[in-house]
Structure formats: C-alpha cells, structure tokens
Amino acid sequence: MALPIAIIGAGLAGISAARALIARGHAVTIFEKGRGPGGRLATRRIEAEGRRLQFDHGAQYLRAESAEFAAALTEAGTAPWPDAQRRVGVPSMSAVPRALLGDIPCVASRHVGQITGQPGAWMLRHWDARQVRPGKPLPDTTPEEAGPFAAVLLTMPATQAREVLGQHAPVLHEALTAIRYAPCWTVMAAFNAPLALPDTLRPEVHAIGWAARDSAKPGRDAGQENWVIQAGPAWTRAHLELPAEDIAAPLLAALAGFSAAPLPVPFMAMAHRWRYSLLEAPLGAPCLWDATTRIGYASDGCIGGRAEAAWQSGAALAAQVLA
C-alpha cells in the first residue's frame, strides 16, 4: 500500500531516500528551507556592476567510489574538474540536485519547525523560511500544517534535526548528539583581471582551507574571474561571530600571500557562513530509524563527510522504511 511520507531537507540524502521510496510506490513530499534543492551543493547568483555572476559557495566538487553514485553523477550531467577523479555540476553545482530531484514534489522556502501528531499520522508545522533566524525562537506567526504522514525522515544537520524532533523519538534524539560539524566562512569575490594563481589551492595549516577559480569550471563564463575562498575550521571558529562584512578582507589578504603578483581589488566580495560544513565526528552507522515512531534520520553525518556518504545514507534509510 502506498504511504504518504515526508522528508525534511532536499540535499542528496533526502533526494536519494525519496527516489528509492517513490520507486516502490510511496507518495513522498520533500520540505526544503532553501529556495531550491541541494543543501551544501549550492550556487549563489549575484548581479554586480551590470554583470551576472555565479559562485559555487558550498561543496566544491564530488567524488564517486561506488557504481551507484557514479551513475547518479552521470545522470546529473556532471563533468570532470579539476582532474578526472573529481566532478562538478554543469553549469553550476546546484544543477546536480535539481537534475536528481526531477519531478519529485518539493515544497521550497519552508522551515519545518515542529512535528506534531502521533506515529502513523504525523503533522508538520512549517513557516516561511525568510521569517526564521538560526538560533532564534520560531516566529510567533501562525504556521502552515501539512500531513498526516505515515513516516517522517529528517535529512538536515543533526543539530537542526534535534530541534525539530522535540520530545518525539527520544532514542534518535539522543543518538544525534554524536554527530559534530565544523563551521566554514566562505568568501565569493569577482575581479576584473585574472589572478596570478593556479585554479585551485589547498594550503596546509592555513587560514584558507580551499580556494578556487570558480569561473574555470566547465560550463562557466571563462571571461569572468570569480573566486571562492573557504576558510579552514580553526580560522572560522576564531572568527565565527564576526559580521559577514568583516570576513572578506582578511581572507583576500591570505589569498594574496600565494599570488605571484599583487592582488587587484575585487569589484564584488561577500561572505557566507556555513555553521555545519565539514564533518568532524560521524555517527558511525548508515542511518537512524525508529520503527515505533516511524521517524528516521539520514545525512553525511551518519557515515562520513562526503557527498556520496549522504547519498548512501538516504538510500539506507529508505531501505529501513521499506523493510
């Protein structure tokens, strides 16, 4: 019998679980707080000085070790960059989750803040995501409700999942405390001239954890000079609560230290803070599933800090639901 199932989060784990459940005839609805699917497979589009710019400011590339994930990356139209072992979305990283989501129902820009009801008849209370601020109480406006759902699968970072769970599924709630992420400040900068730098940099023990000429990726505008600079965990933690406008200058100065010529002033620079970026402590299990409450959890935090791990975790959770 087809059952209505809610998935919270349209990243790779949520999409993978949805595809597996739909293939077995279940009715799935995904709720996503962003404007579209992808989670950390994100692309920011910006207009500056009359130009349309884009930056892959989340995950920089994907690797496939399994035939299943390799097939998914082929289906999504990815291309090798900066070498044969790594792949990127074309014309953006956000194109990957959009392709894999297909026509699966996805309610975007909605923040699911509470689960109510009972096992087999769960309701989701959700707000306009633009009204919700991280770490702040839920808005006092009346939320919308969706349901009932026979099962609810959470696929966001563990800290956020625990907030949504509340008092439901206490064993799952406690298990999620094992997962820990490091934060990451990311700077997006556009220049009028090419920088005297290689396309990618990954310094050892440095303020910068990764930097890349984003416009050098396949399918991008090669006439632009767009850079993504991602700080390392230690630097990010030391500067975590600084205003975003104070982040670009020190990271650009750090990038200049690798350049064979003085760095020109960018005509656009802005920062984005990822509070949950690099996995530091995984759960050590493919997923979590409470058969009594019919609530489950999947993410890269279950297995390891790779996009493929998120995909595999979602598939593993779907298998538990279907068992």
Side-chain angles (χ1 to χ4, degrees):
M1 181 179 67
L3 297 175
I5 298 173
I7 296 178
I8 307 174
L12 288 182
I15 294 172
S16 175
R19 286 164 57 113
L21 292 167
I22 288 172
R24 292 286 295 273
H26 294 293
V28 174
T29 302
I30 302 180
F31 294 82
E32 166 58 40
K33 69 177 182 179
R35 289 179 292 179
R40 282 165 286 163
L41 287 178
T43 302
R44 179 73 63 85
R45 292 171 176 84
I46 302 165
E47 288 201 14
E49 293 195 354
R51 306 180 219 184
R52 293 185 177 182
L53 312 171
Q54 73 171 45
F55 302 86
D56 296 327
H57 65 302
Q60 294 296 292
Y61 55 81
L62 303 161
R63 293 182 189 268
E65 297 181 0
S66 67
E68 292 79 11
F69 193 55
L73 295 186
T74 298
E75 177 186 339
T78 60
W81 186 89
D83 51 47
Q85 287 70 47
R86 292 178 280 186
R87 304 188 70 84
V88 296
V90 179
S92 65
M93 288 299 282
S94 61
V96 175
R98 286 200 307 270
L100 294 174
L101 180 70
D103 58 1
I104 296 172
C106 181
V107 183
S109 299
R110 302 305 298 178
H111 178 94
V112 177
Q114 295 172 342
I115 300 173
T116 63
Q118 59 189 0
W122 293 117
M123 302 294 294
L124 302 186
R125 305 182 79 201
H126 55 94
W127 284 259
D128 183 335
R130 294 169 298 181
Q131 299 177 346
V132 182
R133 296 291 177 264
K136 302 296 183 182
L138 291 169
D140 56 10
T141 55
T142 302
E144 293 184 27
E145 284 197 329
F149 296 103
V152 176
L153 313 184
L154 299 92
T155 67
M156 68 279 268
T159 301
Q160 297 173 344
R162 294 179 78 238
E163 293 173 354
V164 177
L165 275 174
Q167 300 303 309
H168 304 300
V171 174
L172 192 152
H173 188 279
E174 177 62 25
L176 288 174
T177 61
I179 301 174
R180 295 196 310 274
Y181 286 91
C184 176
W185 270 116
T186 296
V187 167
M188 297 157 276
F191 300 85
N192 283 315
L195 305 189
L197 290 167
D199 285 348
T200 64
L201 291 166
R202 175 163 269 167
E204 295 287 339
V205 192
H206 194 272
I208 295 175
W210 165 269
R213 181 178 282 110
D214 203 64
S215 48
K217 293 177 180 176
R220 278 61 169 181
D221 184 347
Q224 296 183 353
E225 184 72 4
N226 302 339
W227 279 78
V228 170
I229 309 161
Q230 294 184 322
W235 193 95
T236 295
R237 283 195 170 101
H239 302 82
L240 186 62
E241 300 304 335
L242 283 182
E245 54 267 24
D246 294 342
I247 296 299
L251 286 179
L252 285 167
L255 182 66
F258 296 97
S259 178
L263 221 63
V265 176
F267 67 84
M268 193 289 305
M270 64 185 300
H272 177 88
R273 178 173 52 200
W274 296 98
R275 288 192 178 272
Y276 309 103
S277 176
L278 302 172
L279 182 67
E280 290 189 318
L283 177 68
C287 63
L288 291 170
W289 172 241
D290 186 326
T292 301
T293 62
R294 298 196 65 78
I295 296 176
Y297 179 80
S299 79
D300 63 341
C302 293
I303 305 172
R306 298 173 293 109
E308 183 169 17
W311 186 259
Q312 293 171 333
S313 180
L317 179 55
Q320 291 288 316
V321 177
L322 294 167

